[in-house]
Amino acid sequence: MSERYIKSNMSDDLKELLASVDHTKPIKKDTFLFSEGEKAEELYIIKSGKIQIGKLSPDGRELTLRICNRGDIVGELSLYDNVKYILNAKVLEDGEVAVIKKFHLEEKLLNNGSLAIEFMKVMSESFRRDQTRFRDLVMHGKKGALFSTLIRLSNSYGKKQSSGNIYIDIVLTNQELANFCGTSRESVNRLLNDLKRNHIISMKKGHIIIHDLNFLKKEINCENCPVVLCSIH
């Protein structure tokens, strides 16, 4: 596997380690790469396609935590334990993933302390990103969860226009937005309509355009977390 598929914020040595994969496998839209409860014996690096990481509540509601793209690592990042996946990985777009056997990775990290520390930092970053998502959902309710999602989308997919507006370069249905917020599509519809009436956002061919990002940030007392934590990736 070429290292160019791996995120650039890693050292060359860690990229090289993760590039020494066991094999690759195709992924098909609307299938699951893994599901919660399954034994976690592999990690995956996305070579192409998109994968949605989320969880199902006991009452059947879907909560989406992030959307992963090329170069992202997906899977249960805990090492040295007999663990199971606690989240689902649903394929949103056909593609291919590189498969890393966890026991091979563990063996190599045991013999290289500096790489083990760096990998622990990658794990910590992933955990903190999920923690901030749960924090937003718990502390700010439905409205805050939507505003937080819009801010994260601006960090991950936002393209600043000459007017100063932010064009979100990904199309999400209202149901998909609701899944990010852990609420119903009807609630998201009402909140989006309120934002449009107040000229905070607008829509163009399914894309969201944010006109007043500062309003969204003020409403949830945004702490201006690093972009690496405040994202949808």
Side-chain angles (χ1 to χ4, degrees), residues 3-193:
E3 293 178 25
R4 72 176 182 273
Y5 292 105
I6 303 174
K7 292 294 187 185
S8 59
N9 59 346
M10 299 179 188
S11 70
D12 290 340
D13 287 341
L14 185 56
K15 286 182 184 179
E16 183 179 352
L17 173 58
L18 294 175
S20 57
V21 301
D22 186 75
H23 63 279
T24 61
K25 64 183 292 185
I27 53 175
K28 296 294 183 184
K29 183 178 179 180
D30 293 329
T31 63
F32 285 86
L33 181 60
F34 56 81
S35 299
E36 54 184 302
E38 294 178 353
K39 191 173 181 180
E41 297 179 328
E42 299 171 336
L43 291 177
Y44 306 92
I45 300 178
I46 302 174
K47 295 184 68 176
S48 60
K50 285 186 174 66
I51 293 177
Q52 171 186 292
I53 304 299
K55 192 172 183 66
L56 286 175
S57 67
D59 61 1
R61 287 185 296 117
E62 187 174 0
L63 172 62
T64 301
L65 291 177
R66 59 186 182 274
I67 296 175
C68 299
N69 302 276
R70 190 176 78 160
D72 287 325
I73 301 173
V74 296
E76 177 53 62
L77 295 183
S78 298
L79 296 177
Y80 316 120
D81 284 315
N82 184 18
V83 297
K84 295 181 179 180
Y85 293 113
I86 60 173
L87 299 169
N88 299 311
K90 183 179 180 179
V91 180
L92 300 180
E93 183 181 283
D94 290 356
E96 185 180 25
V97 295
V99 182
I100 304 171
K101 293 293 185 181
K102 287 180 67 175
F103 71 88
H104 287 156
L105 183 60
E106 290 171 6
E107 288 176 352
K108 293 177 181 178
L109 292 176
L110 278 171
N111 295 316
N112 192 318
S114 61
L115 282 187
I117 290 172
E118 185 180 355
F119 189 78
M120 288 173 63
K121 290 179 179 177
V122 172
M123 292 165 56
S124 176
E125 183 180 289
S126 176
F127 295 149
R128 289 182 65 197
R129 190 182 301 117
D130 288 345
Q131 285 174 346
T132 59
R133 288 286 296 133
F134 284 121
R135 177 201 64 191
D136 291 346
L137 290 170
V138 171
M139 292 183 62
H140 301 299
K142 297 175 183 178
K143 183 173 77 170
L146 176 62
F147 290 5
S148 169
T149 297
L150 293 174
I151 294 167
R152 290 170 185 272
L153 283 169
S154 75
N155 289 332
S156 299
Y157 296 99
K159 293 187 176 180
K160 197 159 188 178
Q161 301 178 312
S162 58
S163 61
N165 297 332
I166 300 173
Y167 178 86
I168 307 300
D169 195 21
I170 185 174
V171 174
L172 295 173
T173 66
N174 286 4
Q175 182 60 62
E176 288 169 332
L177 282 173
N179 291 345
F180 274 110
C181 304
T183 188
S184 67
R185 179 175 56 83
E186 291 76 15
S187 293
V188 166
N189 288 346
R190 288 194 296 270
L191 290 168
L192 289 175
N193 286 333

Side-chain angles (χ1 to χ4, degrees), residues 214-232:
N214 286 331
F215 171 85
L216 301 176
K217 289 184 174 183
K218 287 178 183 176
E219 285 292 300
I220 62 170
N221 298 314
C222 179
E223 299 173 0
N224 291 311
C225 298
V227 172
V228 70
L229 298 180
C230 187
S231 68
I232 291 297

